[in-house]
Amino acid sequence: MMAGVWLMGECELNDCEIDGGKIGVKQGVLVKRCRFLEESGCASVCVNSCKIPTQKFFIEDMGLPLTMTPDYETGECQFSFGLSVSPASEFDAKNTPCIGRCPSAGGMRKWHEGGDSTCHMMEEDNNE
């Protein structure tokens, strides 16, 4: 739990839904204000650089199902350990509209989707 606080911000253990429609007692972690989301200010960065890779790590390398559910309004993120990722939730996550405070004005979404446009934050300095 201490690593979570250092990495993501204030966290608390909670009960959450797990596979089979059950409730896992203290199997959830609520990140009260995610530093990653707060600093990036971008839904696409959150989903593609944090949510999907973290879920993949826990599922493939640790053998533990994990579903992460960011709340772009509050800056919270619910980690549900023991809950497998559903295709519908991943579809929704990848199609989350840009949030108003996004510094890339949608540019990261195009970059993550393989479009021609790149985020102005990721552009290379051509003056070197």
Side-chain angles (χ1 to χ4, degrees):
M1 189 69 158
M2 293 297 286
V5 173
W6 172 79
L7 182 63
M8 302 175 294
E10 184 181 353
C11 302
E12 70 179 31
L13 291 175
N14 62 6
D15 300 343
C16 65
E17 180 184 354
I18 59 172
D19 287 344
K22 300 175 186 173
I23 299 297
V25 177
K26 303 289 186 200
Q27 282 189 236
V29 174
L30 178 66
V31 179
K32 293 186 176 185
R33 203 168 97 199
C34 177
R35 287 183 180 153
F36 194 85
L37 177 57
E38 186 175 57
E39 290 298 317
S40 72
C42 179
S44 186
V45 169
C46 169
V47 169
N48 292 289
S49 298
C50 183
K51 175 183 168 49
I52 292 173
T54 301
Q55 290 175 164
K56 183 179 179 184
F57 169 77
F58 275 93
I59 293 165
E60 294 180 4
D61 296 337
M62 304 296 284
L64 178 62
L66 169 64
T67 296
M68 294 169 58
T69 309
D71 183 328
Y72 301 108
E73 296 297 317
T74 65
E76 295 178 336
C77 188
Q78 174 66 48
F79 284 57
S80 299
F81 293 95
L83 181 62
S84 297
V85 173
S86 73
S89 70
E90 288 307 279
F91 178 82
D92 289 345
K94 290 178 182 176
N95 289 292
T96 299
C98 289
I99 49 183
R101 66 183 186 273
C102 179
S104 76
M108 285 303 294
R109 180 167 311 281
K110 293 174 188 163
W111 183 78
H112 281 126
E113 291 172 351
D116 292 335
S117 177
T118 60
C119 173
H120 71 275
M121 296 173 16
M122 304 278 290
E123 290 176 0
E124 294 180 26
D125 186 2
N126 294 326
N127 296 333
E128 293 182 27

